[in-house]
Amino acid sequence: MAAAEATTLEAAEEEATPEEEPKFAPGEMIHDVATVNGMYQNWFLDYASYVILERAVPAIEDGLKPVQRRILHAMKEMDDGRFNKVANVIGQTMQYHPHGDASIGDAMVNLGQKDLLIETQGNWGDIRTGDGAAAPRYIEARLSKFALDVVFNPDITEWQMSYDGRKREPTTLPVKFPLLLAQGVEGIAVGLSTKIMPHNFRELCKASIDVLRGRDIQLFPDFPTGGLCDVTNYNGGLRGAKIRLRATIEKVDKTMLVIRDIPYGTTTTALMESIVKASEANKIKIKKVVDNTAAEVEIQVHLPAGVSPDLTMDALYAFTDCEISISPNTCVIIEEKPRFVGVEDMLRLSTQKTLRLLERELEIRQEELQEKWHSASLEKIFIENRIYRKIEECETWEEILQTIDAGLRKFVRIEGEKPKANDTRIVLARAITEDDLTRLTEIRIKRISKFDGFKAEEYIQRLEAELAEVADHLANLTRYAINYFEGLLKKYGQHRERKTQLRTFDVVTAQKVAVANQKLYVNYQDGFVGYGLKKDEKAVMVCDCSDLDDIIAIKRDGTFTVSRIAEKTFVGKDILHVGVYNKNDDRLVYNMIYQDGASGISFAKRFLVTGITRDKSYDLTKGTKGTKTLYLTANPNSESEVVGIQLADKAPARVKQFDFDFAELAIKGKGSMGNIVTKQPIKKITQKSLGDSTLGGRELFFDSVVGRLNHAGHGRYLGTFDTDDTLLRVFRDGSYDVQSPDLSLHFDTANMVVLRKLEPDTVISAVYIEGESKAHYVKRFKVETSTLDKRFTFIAETKGSKLLVATAFTEPQVEVKLQRDKKADKETEKILLHEFIDVKGWKAMGNKLNYFKIHSLALLTDEGPEPQRREAKKKAGPATIPRPAAAPEEPLPEHNGDVDISAAEVAQAQAVLKTPKSQLKLF
């Protein structure tokens, strides 16, 4: 009943509000209307799938995007061995690619610049400088020999119709090589992207061979621009991976750096612009940048006087495009779907695919050879047995075929057919068909008349040998594939050595290499610090700083704060000390004397400032009201000092002046209370003398992986270095230099023979070849030069002179393979260099090795064990009262029985227990 009433109401509402019919002009009509609901979702999915599969992401089968595949297919169709205008190739490709000539031209230039599949002619641009290619009508291209050998084979290619149905194009090309990993690729699709790094041609061939042999493999990128690469976090190129790329920078002299290689993905123009931009921002100091790039990259960075080239090198890595990071993302199309796989797995898939392609080619070749053998055998029987004469009397075509077939069957049998007794018939792999018989009837009389049975037999034997070879390859397919990759390596691997050097980079922090481009000022009275107080009359300059530094400010009440440097910052009035704060500096020690506000007692302390939070106030004292700092110094190398203390006139002490030595205090944390200096009021404290470093020299290590010095214990231990100690470096070119142990130095480990601490008794032993006479000389000398950062050549400077070995070991030994005269046999002799020659001057020629001929010379001793590391010193507590050295105690006699104690001894012990501690003078 209720439903009927609802239906009636709805009908009444429809009658009450009739729908108005639209009005149209004469001849107009309404078209079909479709709602957009759901349409966007379906169309977007179709569009995204199309872009992923047909535009941006390469296929795993051949490693090509569709546009690249169509370009290569068009070039194959046009191939006649000569160069073709790129404009013609683009036009040919447009029959298969529906997206215009611009996309085809850009993709073709990209392929040509990779120098693998396309042989180019003309101006194709330069990926190093960013110069574009000339117009397509001016440049030419043809397929490379590598592409013709590896990429194409129509017999095993899968085909599909082009976009307009007029042409046939390959679905994928039968590429028998990991082309995708060799070229690399980058593409952005809808909600998806791919970025696969290029790899070295030779390494890919060797890795494919290792895969076939069942070995583990590991691949790393190799870029056409060269440079340095840190692959620590490469992780097979999977999502989340990261590689760091650096330019190769050489230090020519103190005033010039030269950039030889640039990171992949940048250009010389962009690199120079980033250097100029960093210079304008006062992040680095340079005089000018000059681009001399021609056949090789050469960007000269000229430095002003007084600027460290090593620090500038670090600053270039920190603030310019001399170092960039790339995040690989190896995404490929596998079975019509995008998949994320590592480069090692990608190579395994490619190698297995190549194995199947080679197998299919062998099978096709086997079928072709079997057909040739079948035809050649029938032809030989047909002609030698004169079967062609028997068809002269035949009147019909069927009779001719039957006659030939009957004549052949006397001499052949089909495989599987039961042989007769003493059967000498030839065994055919398949039955004789009508086509075989027809082919025999088409043999010309001239060919029959000139038929040579011996040549025919030789031809059949060659076919049989080749068939046996193909059968062997199929039976040993892995061996055949290994030989295939070895052939590629030998034929096309020349001049394709690795260009990018694999290194492990240290992290260059901006704070460490920031140029001191500002000056730090402080207004002690009003409590302001910053680099913008130059016009403040009350402000004074403290030191140079950079705009990335932190500033520490210690006030007279014993509190301090650390804050980021700014133009002007208020840190509190009554400032006592301001300086640049380095959280990693464990050598800067503060010496402090303060008076406690509550008790009036003066305390002395030595402390380090570590583990702080910016803009937080810390207290160096007890924190009582009225506390004030009486004396404070900052000592960069933990120097101690002796101060003179003068007590106030009202102090009751008899001696009102005495010295206090901070060396008696242990270095502690910033929160330590300190040791009591005096309970009397102090009038004045003055510094009397500055002591030595409490912590002593710093231990220095050399990390050969990154080529840098460090104090963190990484690498080889070089020794303990004080302020005046230096490093000795000997180079492969026969020169040496002396350097101060600066952590910012860059070391070229490949060209360095010796690196050690220079001691007064250090002797360098060397063997070298003199260029003109080709004679071998031995010399031993001490370093007599004192100039730092300057190379001195210690071997002959004639052309062709070459250093063979050099060492600073005290007793070096070499092994020489020699001939004593022309007719003598080769023999080996060991020579102790320290016995062969005495120590002479560094400019001396040395002693000649008088042998008829020296074939080789090798150093048998290394640099010896590392220097003995010092034992860590225990922190000494205060020692205000000198105590004489205790005499050695005699061991107490052992008592196994009861001990007798007299009543007097018991009474004496009880008296001691009742005595106050202050009178015992023990505490």
Side-chain angles (χ1 to χ4, degrees), residues 227-486:
L228 309 175
C229 180
D230 186 347
V231 294
T232 304
N233 299 316
Y234 184 48
N235 192 27
L238 292 170
R239 285 183 293 182
K242 181 180 179 182
I243 59 176
R244 297 166 60 197
L245 304 176
R246 280 186 178 179
T248 303
I249 305 178
E250 294 180 3
K251 183 172 66 173
V252 178
D253 51 37
K254 293 181 180 180
T255 61
M256 187 170 69
L257 300 173
V258 176
I259 300 173
R260 298 294 185 188
D261 294 320
I262 61 174
Y264 179 72
T266 186
T267 63
T268 54
T269 303
L271 186 63
M272 289 180 61
E273 289 176 354
S274 69
I275 294 174
V276 173
K277 186 177 179 181
S279 177
E280 292 174 349
N282 290 326
K283 293 180 178 178
I284 59 175
K285 286 186 178 180
I286 61 171
K287 187 185 294 183
K288 62 179 179 179
V289 184
V290 181
D291 188 3
N292 291 335
T293 300
E296 302 293 337
V297 172
E298 182 179 335
I299 301 176
Q300 296 179 352
V301 182
H302 295 265
L303 309 178
V307 175
S308 168
D310 290 286
L311 281 177
T312 304
M313 196 182 300
D314 283 341
L316 288 173
Y317 289 138
F319 299 118
T320 72
D321 287 345
C322 287
E323 178 178 335
I324 62 173
S325 297
I326 296 179
S327 298
N329 187 22
T330 53
C331 178
V332 292
I333 301 299
I334 301 177
E335 297 179 354
E336 297 297 321
K337 293 180 181 180
R339 292 284 187 269
F340 295 93
V341 294
V343 293
E344 287 83 6
D345 292 334
M346 198 181 299
L347 181 70
R348 294 186 184 96
L349 291 172
S350 174
T351 304
Q352 293 303 319
K353 181 210 60 160
T354 300
L355 196 67
R356 300 283 77 81
L357 291 175
L358 292 173
E359 182 182 27
R360 183 64 187 133
E361 286 183 345
L362 288 172
E363 290 172 349
I364 293 174
R365 179 60 180 164
Q366 188 180 49
E367 293 173 1
E368 292 175 350
L369 290 172
Q370 288 174 347
E371 284 298 312
K372 288 181 180 180
W373 182 88
H374 184 85
S375 300
S377 298
L378 292 180
E379 182 179 318
K380 182 173 181 291
I381 294 170
F382 180 75
I383 296 175
E384 284 186 341
N385 295 281
R386 303 177 183 273
I387 297 177
Y388 54 86
R389 288 188 174 182
K390 297 179 181 180
I391 64 175
E392 295 176 354
E393 300 178 357
C394 296
E395 298 181 355
T396 63
W397 176 251
E398 289 76 11
E399 189 178 352
I400 292 173
L401 297 180
Q402 290 175 1
T403 302
I404 296 174
D405 183 59
L408 292 175
R409 290 190 180 277
K410 296 178 182 180
F411 304 96
V412 299
R413 66 182 177 89
I414 311 302
E415 186 176 8
E417 183 180 336
K418 185 177 181 181
K420 300 177 181 178
N422 300 322
D423 198 343
T424 59
R425 291 180 297 172
I426 298 174
V427 180
L428 299 180
R430 63 174 179 82
I432 300 174
T433 63
E434 185 176 344
D435 291 337
D436 295 329
L437 301 176
T438 303
R439 194 179 304 111
L440 293 175
T441 61
E442 294 174 351
I443 300 176
R444 295 185 179 185
I445 299 298
K446 183 178 180 180
R447 184 178 172 190
I448 294 175
S449 62
K450 291 186 176 183
F451 181 77
D452 189 337
F454 292 104
K455 289 184 178 180
E457 185 63 29
E458 288 178 358
Y459 176 65
I460 292 174
Q461 289 178 358
R462 287 199 302 271
L463 291 176
E464 289 175 348
E466 192 171 352
L467 272 169
E469 183 181 4
V470 171
D472 180 68
H473 291 335
L474 284 170
N476 302 277
L477 192 59
T478 301
R479 184 189 65 191
Y480 176 72
I482 291 173
N483 293 334
Y484 169 79
F485 281 109
E486 289 177 345

Side-chain angles (χ1 to χ4, degrees), residues 755-766:
L755 175 66
R756 61 176 296 148
K757 182 180 179 182
L758 179 60
E759 303 285 1
D761 58 348
T762 300
V763 176
I764 299 175
S765 303

Side-chain angles (χ1 to χ4, degrees), residues 598-611:
S599 63
I601 299 175
S602 296
F603 294 87
K605 61 186 291 186
R606 303 184 73 197
F607 62 93
L608 296 166
V609 177
T610 57

Side-chain angles (χ1 to χ4, degrees), residues 517-709:
N517 54 359
Q518 303 288 355
K519 295 187 181 297
L520 179 62
Y521 296 88
V522 57
N523 185 330
Y524 288 103
Q525 184 177 349
D526 298 336
F528 290 98
V529 296
Y531 54 80
L533 303 177
K534 184 176 181 179
K535 296 181 180 180
D536 189 345
E537 296 180 355
K538 299 179 182 178
V540 295
M541 194 193 82
V542 178
C543 62
D544 293 330
C545 63
S546 75
D547 48 14
L548 300 177
D549 285 332
D550 289 326
I551 302 301
I552 183 171
I554 304 176
K555 295 182 289 185
R556 192 170 295 277
D557 61 359
T559 60
F560 78 92
T561 57
V562 175
S563 59
R564 177 75 74 183
I565 191 172
E567 187 173 352
K568 184 177 181 180
T569 303
F570 179 75
V571 296
K573 292 186 177 183
D574 212 4
I575 298 174
L576 196 62
H577 167 79
V578 169
V580 176
Y581 173 74
N582 182 4
K583 65 178 181 180
N584 297 319
D585 189 354
D586 57 355
R587 308 287 291 186
L588 179 60
V589 175
Y590 295 89
N591 298 337
M592 178 182 181
I593 298 177
Y594 69 93
Q595 186 179 44
D596 181 54
S599 63
I601 299 175
S602 296
F603 294 87
K605 61 186 291 186
R606 303 184 73 197
F607 62 93
L608 296 166
V609 177
T610 57
I612 56 91
T613 303
R614 283 197 190 102
D615 302 321
K616 179 181 177 181
S617 180
Y618 292 90
D619 209 321
L620 298 170
T621 68
K622 289 185 175 183
T624 57
K625 186 177 180 181
T627 299
K628 60 180 178 180
T629 304
L630 304 178
Y631 184 81
L632 178 69
T633 58
N635 304 278
N637 197 25
S638 67
E639 293 86 355
S640 63
E641 54 188 327
V642 177
V643 295
I645 299 178
Q646 182 178 350
L647 302 180
D649 297 335
K650 61 180 180 179
R654 293 182 181 179
V655 180
K656 297 194 179 207
Q657 289 187 354
F658 60 92
D659 294 341
F660 182 82
D661 190 356
F662 277 95
E664 298 176 352
L665 299 179
I667 300 173
K668 299 183 178 180
K670 59 182 180 294
S672 63
M673 182 179 70
N675 291 14
I676 297 176
V677 178
T678 178
K679 297 182 180 180
Q680 310 297 330
I682 295 176
K683 179 180 180 181
K684 185 180 180 181
I685 301 177
T686 56
Q687 186 187 69
K688 283 197 167 185
S689 63
L690 187 65
D692 296 330
S693 171
T694 305
L695 300 178
R698 302 199 71 171
E699 291 186 331
L700 194 65
F701 299 83
F702 175 67
D703 189 345
S704 59
V705 177
V706 298
R708 301 294 287 269
L709 299 172

